[in-house]
């Protein structure tokens, strides 16, 4: 099975989440079209047919790449960031 570049996959997930939020707020045809476009691309990239399946596949693929980190940009509680 082919796997997407982790940075590309993370970008798609972040764009999907951002556009989903924007469409919920705006509800315009433009925001809907953009959400449909990124949803389609996310599904094609992960080899799935539905957005929920695509998000699960993306999370699994990103977890398999140690340098990719968790989906959503959250940091596990046992990790402490310092300046």
């Amino acid at each position: 099975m082919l796997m997407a570049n982790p940075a590309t996959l993370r970008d798609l997930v972040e764009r999907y989440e951002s556009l989903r939020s924007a469409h919920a707020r705006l509800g315009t045809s433009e925001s809907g079209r953009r959400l449909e476009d990124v949803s389609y691309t996310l599904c094609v990239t992960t080899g799935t047919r539905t957005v929920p399946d695509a998000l699960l596949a993306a999370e699994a693929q990103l977890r398999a790449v140690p340098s990719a980190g968790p989906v959503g940009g959250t940091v596990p509680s046992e990790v402490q960031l310092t300046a």
Side-chain angles (χ1 to χ4, degrees):
M1 173 183 198
L2 292 176
M3 292 188 62
N5 177 292
T8 300
L9 194 53
R10 178 171 303 289
D11 179 59
L12 281 171
V13 170
E14 290 173 358
R15 282 180 31 214
Y16 170 79
E17 291 171 350
S18 174
L19 289 170
R20 183 182 63 177
S21 175
H23 184 60
R25 279 190 330 272
L26 304 172
T28 65
S29 60
E30 175 66 17
S31 65
R33 186 193 60 75
R34 293 179 72 200
L35 180 59
E36 286 179 15
D37 287 349
V38 76
S39 296
Y40 173 81
T41 304
L42 185 59
C43 287
V44 169
T45 302
T46 57
T48 59
R49 292 179 173 248
T50 67
V51 171
D53 288 344
L55 292 172
L56 289 173
E59 183 175 356
Q61 288 181 30
L62 290 171
R63 281 189 180 157
V65 180
S67 62
V71 174
T74 59
V75 178
S77 60
E78 68 271 7
V79 175
Q80 294 187 11
L81 302 176
T82 58

